[in-house]
Amino acid sequence: MLRSVFGSFVAIWALMTGSGIAAEVPLNFVTLDPPVGLGAQEPSFFALTDGRVVMSWTEPDGDGFAVKMAIGDHMTWTEARTITSSEDLFINWADFPSITAFPDGTLAAHWLQEAGDGAYVYDVNIALSKDEGKSWSTPIVPHQDGTQSQHGFATLIPSSEDSLVSVWLDARAYKKELLASQSTGLPDAMQLRATQLTSDGILSEDVLVDAQTCTCCQTSAAVTGDGKILVAYRNRTDAEIRDISVVRFEDGQWSSSKIVHDDNWEISGCPVNGPAIAAMGQTAVVAWFTSADDIPAVKVAFSRNSGRDFDLPIRVDLGEAAGRVDALMLSETTALVTWVEWQDAGEVIFACQVRIGETCEKEEAVTVNTGDGSVNFPRMARTVDGVYLAWTQPALEGGGHPTGEATVRVVYAKY
C-alpha cells in the first residue's frame, strides 16, 4: 500500500451509546490491507449485517477496466472478485460504481456502461450475486427509455428483505424532442428517476421523482428507523439556483422535494459535488458543499422527523473547502462527517463529530495528500463495532510507484 504523508492517523471522537448513557471514546484509525492493486480507484462501501463490509472499486484490466469487490473486516479480506470487465466501461472520477446488499444476503452492484458514440452516452447496469460475489447475473438496466443519453450518479438502497430502490440522474429529456408522455416541458432538464428491483431480478417501471435537477452531482440515500427512504441530491431551478433537496419514499409513493436550506447558490454549471445523507431512528443528517456568495463551505443539517423538516445548518469547514462529503450516524444525536479541504500542507481529508444543536468542536485531519492526483470522493461505512473510511490514494511526489499510479487506501477505527 502507498503510504500517506502522515504515517499515522489522528484520533477523532465518536459517540458510543449504551443503556441511554453517552460516553466519548477516541477512535484511532489504523491502516488495513484490502486486496486492491495499483491503479485501483473510487472505492465504495456497504456495511453488512454480520459486521463485515463489502467494498467495490475499479482497476485497469488489459485495454479496459474491471469493477471489483471484496468482503472483509479489520482482520481479514476475501480475495478480489471481478464483477465486470470491459473496454467499454465509462470511468469517471465523480460518477463511479457502488455495491450494496439486500437483507437476504444478495449483493447488488452498479456500474456505468458506454451505450453510444457520444462522450456522455452511457447506461446504469446492475448485477446481482447470490454467492458473495463469486458469480454475477446478467446486467439489468433500470431505466427503460431507450435513449442514447447520460444515465448515472446512481444510488442503490435496500428497501425491504428482498427489494431495493435505485435512483439515478437521467438525461432522456436533455436537448431532446420526446413523446408527450415523457416530456417535462422543461428545457435541457436532467431528471431524478427511480425504480425498484427485487433480489430475484424483477424490475419495476422507472418513475419520475424530480423533473429538473443539477446535471452531474452525486445522489445519496438512507433508510429511517420506520422504513422511509430518503434521497438527497442537488436541485436546479430555472434561475440556476442549485441547492440540496431531499425526497421521501414511503407507502410506495415519492414525496415532493424539500430544500434542506436556502443557500441560494446561483451557478450556471454543475459543481460536481453532491450531498451525503444518513439516518438512524427518526433522525437524519445531510452534509453538503456550497459556494453561495463565492464562499466555499461544508454544511451539516439535521432532521428530527424522518426528513420532513431540517434544522438550520452549521458550517464545519475551515475556510478552504473542496467539498466531496460523506456522513454517517453514530447515534440518534451524533453524526460523523468527512470532507476534503485545501490547506498549505496539501489536500486534506477532514472528519468531525457533529451533534444536534451544537457546532463542530474539533475538526481532525485524517490524512494529507501531497501526491500527483486527488483523493477524489472518500467514502465511509459504519458496522456494529467500527468505522471504515476509504479513498483513492495518489502516489506520493518522488516516492510513488514509477508509473505514478494510485491505489485505494482503507482505514478502520474500533469503537
Side-chain angles (χ1 to χ4, degrees):
M1 295 288 294
L2 299 176
R3 293 188 300 111
S4 163
V5 69
F6 290 157
S8 61
F9 295 84
V10 299
I12 67 172
W13 295 90
L15 192 70
M16 183 172 68
T17 59
S19 66
I21 300 175
E24 289 186 346
V25 177
L27 297 183
N28 294 299
F29 280 118
V30 296
T31 303
L32 303 183
D33 189 24
V36 299
L38 286 172
Q41 58 185 313
E42 310 310 345
S44 183
F45 274 131
F46 187 81
L48 303 177
T49 56
D50 62 5
R52 298 179 298 167
V53 292
V54 56
M55 185 177 74
S56 64
W57 68 93
T58 60
E59 276 189 19
D61 185 50
D63 292 329
F65 283 85
V67 181
K68 296 192 175 185
M69 54 80 60
I71 300 174
D73 56 26
H74 61 284
M75 298 293 292
T76 60
W77 290 78
T78 67
E79 74 280 6
R81 295 165 182 168
T82 298
I83 300 170
T84 188
S85 179
S86 172
E87 295 180 14
D88 298 321
L89 295 184
F90 182 80
I91 302 298
N92 185 278
W93 76 292
D95 193 359
F96 45 87
S98 73
I99 194 163
T100 190
F102 295 84
D104 70 5
T106 302
L107 297 179
H110 104 269
W111 67 91
L112 305 175
Q113 193 78 37
E114 294 179 359
D117 295 330
Y120 293 98
V121 176
Y122 54 88
D123 292 338
V124 176
N125 278 215
I126 302 173
L128 306 175
S129 175
K130 300 284 188 179
D131 55 10
E132 294 197 339
K134 296 175 183 176
S135 62
W136 291 88
S137 71
T138 300
I140 300 163
V141 178
H143 41 87
Q144 297 129 41
D145 54 296
T147 65
Q148 288 198 357
S149 56
Q150 177 183 341
H151 307 84
F153 298 98
T155 295
L156 311 180
I157 185 77
S159 57
S160 68
E161 180 67 22
D162 62 352
S163 182
L164 64 75
V165 167
S166 173
V167 297
W168 64 92
L169 299 187
D170 192 300
R172 69 182 68 183
Y174 199 87
K175 296 185 183 299
K176 291 181 175 66
E177 293 294 332
L178 298 178
L179 298 174
S181 61
Q182 294 176 303
S183 178
T184 66
L186 298 171
D188 294 345
M190 184 71 76
Q191 302 175 355
L192 178 68
R193 300 190 74 92
T195 191
Q196 295 183 74
L197 177 66
T198 70
S199 59
D200 291 328
I202 300 172
L203 188 69
S204 68
E205 182 179 359
D206 72 85
V207 298
L208 179 67
V209 179
D210 192 322
Q212 185 168 254
T213 72
C214 196
T215 53
C216 50
C217 285
Q218 297 82 10
T219 59
S220 181
V223 181
T224 64
D226 52 4
K228 295 179 179 62
I229 292 177
L230 307 178
V231 176
Y233 61 102
R234 190 175 296 279
N235 216 321
R236 180 187 177 191
T237 71
D238 291 339
E240 296 289 24
I241 302 300
R242 305 194 188 213
D243 289 341
I244 304 303
S245 284
V246 168
V247 290
R248 300 189 318 279
F249 184 66
E250 54 182 318
D251 301 325
Q253 300 293 322
W254 289 97
S255 72
S256 58
S257 63
K258 173 78 174 182
I259 294 291
V260 177
H261 182 257
D262 290 319
D263 296 320
N264 292 313
W265 186 13
E266 181 181 348
I267 178 173
S268 59
C270 178
V272 195
N273 222 319
I277 190 168
M280 182 181 291
Q282 304 302 305
T283 303
V285 65
V286 178
W288 73 95
F289 172 81
T290 182
S291 194
D293 301 319
D294 295 323
I295 301 173
V298 171
K299 296 182 178 181
V300 178
F302 287 94
S303 169
R304 313 183 200 206
N305 56 8
S306 296
R308 289 184 177 87
D309 303 286
F310 285 86
D311 296 343
L312 290 175
I314 65 166
R315 183 177 173 182
V316 297
D317 67 281
L318 296 177
E320 299 293 338
R324 294 179 251 152
V325 300
D326 202 9
L328 55 80
M329 296 297 297
L330 298 175
S331 75
E332 290 191 39
T333 60
T334 305
L336 180 64
V337 177
T338 59
W339 69 96
V340 177
E341 186 151 350
W342 295 106
Q343 299 282 291
D344 290 341
E347 185 188 36
V348 184
I349 300 176
F350 279 101
C352 188
Q353 172 184 289
V354 185
R355 299 184 186 180
I356 293 177
E358 299 182 13
T359 61
C360 176
E361 293 184 359
K362 185 175 178 58
E363 304 86 358
E364 301 286 356
V366 178
T367 191
V368 177
N369 168 45
T370 60
D372 294 330
S374 173
V375 296
N376 294 349
F377 289 84
R379 285 294 176 257
M380 290 192 292
R382 174 188 179 272
T383 63
V384 294
D385 61 358
V387 173
Y388 293 78
L389 174 64
W391 61 89
T392 301
Q393 176 64 59
L396 296 181
E397 294 176 351
H401 190 270
T403 64
E405 290 182 296
T407 189
V408 166
R409 170 67 58 79
V410 180
V411 297
Y412 165 83
K414 186 177 178 61
Y415 64 84

